[in-house]
Amino acid sequence: VNRVSGTQDPRKGRIVIHGWFNEPETCWFGPWDLEKGSSTPGTGTRMETLDAALQPLVETLGTGEIGRVMGYLAVKLEIDTDGLVEEVMAVCDTLQADWDDFRGIIGYDEADRPVMEDAVSDVRLTAFETLKELVFEPGPE
């Protein structure tokens, strides 16, 4: 790392962090046995359940129905002891609309006011709705 010189006043300085502290990956916390299956028929481990649920989401996002976005969205799922997703929370969200794909007015409301595309909100909502519907095998009390 090269030494940086300049002001010693932190109010006039800046910090830049490049890269990840570690590779993005799925992390499981709590008393969940990752080898156990899901309560959804025809699925295997919890990772397979998650992968199977995300596949239609990825396909939906790739259809072009929702405007393109750029960035990173990491979410945290709170799973209750019944295996239901209790809460979906964004822990890192840098999504921004891809202005090369901006569509402007996409329709009109009941009062004939223009409805503007909001690709970032559409992607967030689609992801959160998909994840909220996941069902895992019930966990230990």
Side-chain angles (χ1 to χ4, degrees):
V1 176
N2 294 334
R3 182 176 173 87
V4 177
S5 60
T7 182
Q8 297 299 311
D9 184 346
R11 296 172 295 167
K12 295 178 182 174
R14 67 181 181 143
I15 183 168
V16 178
I17 300 174
H18 294 279
W20 298 98
F21 293 107
N22 59 18
E23 288 294 318
E25 64 180 337
T26 304
C27 302
W28 298 90
F29 299 99
W32 296 95
D33 180 356
L34 295 182
E35 298 307 314
K36 285 190 176 179
S38 159
S39 62
T40 307
T43 59
T45 66
R46 289 189 174 85
M47 277 305 299
E48 290 168 350
T49 300
L50 186 58
D51 288 343
L54 291 177
Q55 190 57 42
L57 173 62
V58 171
E59 290 171 8
T60 297
L61 296 176
T63 64
E65 291 179 34
I66 298 175
R68 283 193 319 246
V69 297
M70 301 176 291
Y72 181 75
L73 175 64
V75 297
K76 174 183 174 183
L77 304 179
E78 291 281 339
I79 303 169
D80 67 17
T81 56
D82 294 327
L84 302 174
V85 176
E86 199 169 79
E87 191 171 1
V88 180
M89 299 163 280
V91 292
C92 179
D93 184 352
T94 64
L95 295 181
Q96 295 183 10
D98 180 351
W99 291 108
D100 290 336
D101 188 51
F102 183 67
R103 300 173 192 169
I105 298 173
I106 58 171
Y108 294 88
D109 67 10
E110 303 83 30
D112 206 32
R113 295 177 297 214
V115 175
M116 302 297 287
E117 176 188 52
D118 186 352
V120 172
S121 292
D122 292 343
V123 168
R124 286 180 187 138
L125 181 62
T126 303
F128 281 61
E129 286 177 342
T130 299
L131 295 170
K132 185 71 174 158
E133 297 302 316
L134 285 175
V135 178
F136 296 91
E137 179 178 305
E141 294 295 325

